[in-house]
Amino acid sequence: MQIASQKISIGLVNPKNPVNVASILRAAGCYGVASVFYTGQRYRFAKDFNADTKAFHKVIPTIGVDSLREVVPEGASVVAVELVEGAAPLPRFEHPENAFYILGPEDGSVGADILSWCDHVVYIPTYSCMNLAATANVLLYDRLSKSDYVSGDALIRQSRDTNNKAKI
């Protein structure tokens, strides 16, 4: 499976920090996410102040919605990522082929009202909670590491920064 062929979308519950959302968009571009949805007004008011240095917001639809439940992609399994008792540890989780990942706000949690309709709830085993962007990066990397991903020098040349021409 190549990264671009994956069926991945992300739903953000009332994100607060535009820098974190921009970082999620960068991760989304790196790992083949098709779309990012978000609820709430906080990001809408601050989204012009972002750090999406690769301009993935121009490629990946980033859509404000009233309800994440109403935009679950067709056929997708809904996976919430939250530090909640009873959740499955991410290292043991088998990612669905078509996934809609839901992440909570930087200053809160994914609520029980959302968790009740999720197909899976996973957590990242850490000694403290991570920020929103770090959580998205770890989640998407875990998905990639467990897949049949493309590798090799051609991918390295395509993916690296234009200032990096190093070889070993």
Side-chain angles (χ1 to χ4, degrees), residues 22-33 56 60 133 136-137 140:
S23 295
I24 287 171
L25 286 168
R26 181 149 187 188
C30 290
Y31 294 106
V33 172
F56 284 119
I60 300 168
N137 275 280
L140 294 172

Side-chain angles (χ1 to χ4, degrees), residues 5-150:
S5 69
Q6 296 188 79
K7 296 178 182 176
I8 312 168
S9 293
I10 293 177
L12 304 174
V13 178
N14 197 21
K16 172 176 112 170
N17 186 323
V19 173
N20 270 337
V21 176
S23 295
I24 287 171
L25 286 168
R26 181 149 187 188
C30 290
Y31 294 106
V33 172
S35 54
V36 175
F37 299 93
Y38 64 91
T39 62
Q41 296 297 323
R42 298 186 304 177
Y43 175 65
R44 287 180 187 156
F45 294 141
K47 69 182 178 180
D48 292 335
F49 306 98
N50 71 58
D52 178 15
T53 59
K54 294 291 185 181
F56 284 119
H57 67 280
K58 295 179 181 175
V59 179
I60 300 168
T62 308
I63 304 161
V65 297
D66 293 328
S67 167
L68 293 174
R69 189 173 192 174
E70 294 175 8
V71 295
V72 174
E74 185 176 340
S77 291
V78 181
V79 182
V81 182
E82 186 60 80
L83 287 171
V84 60
E85 293 178 25
L90 184 62
R92 294 190 186 140
F93 181 67
E94 185 175 325
H95 295 267
E97 182 179 339
N98 183 353
F100 184 50
Y101 296 107
I102 296 181
L103 304 168
E106 296 90 337
D107 56 352
S109 301
V110 176
D113 57 325
I114 294 174
L115 294 174
S116 69
W117 52 266
C118 292
D119 299 304
H120 308 277
V121 181
V122 300
Y123 74 98
I124 299 170
T126 60
Y127 294 109
S128 184
C129 59
M130 297 188 308
N131 78 12
L132 182 60
T135 300
N137 275 280
V138 169
L139 171 72
L140 294 172
Y141 176 77
D142 183 77
R143 179 186 175 94
L144 173 69
S145 73
K146 294 173 180 174
S147 71
D148 183 20
Y149 58 88
V150 174

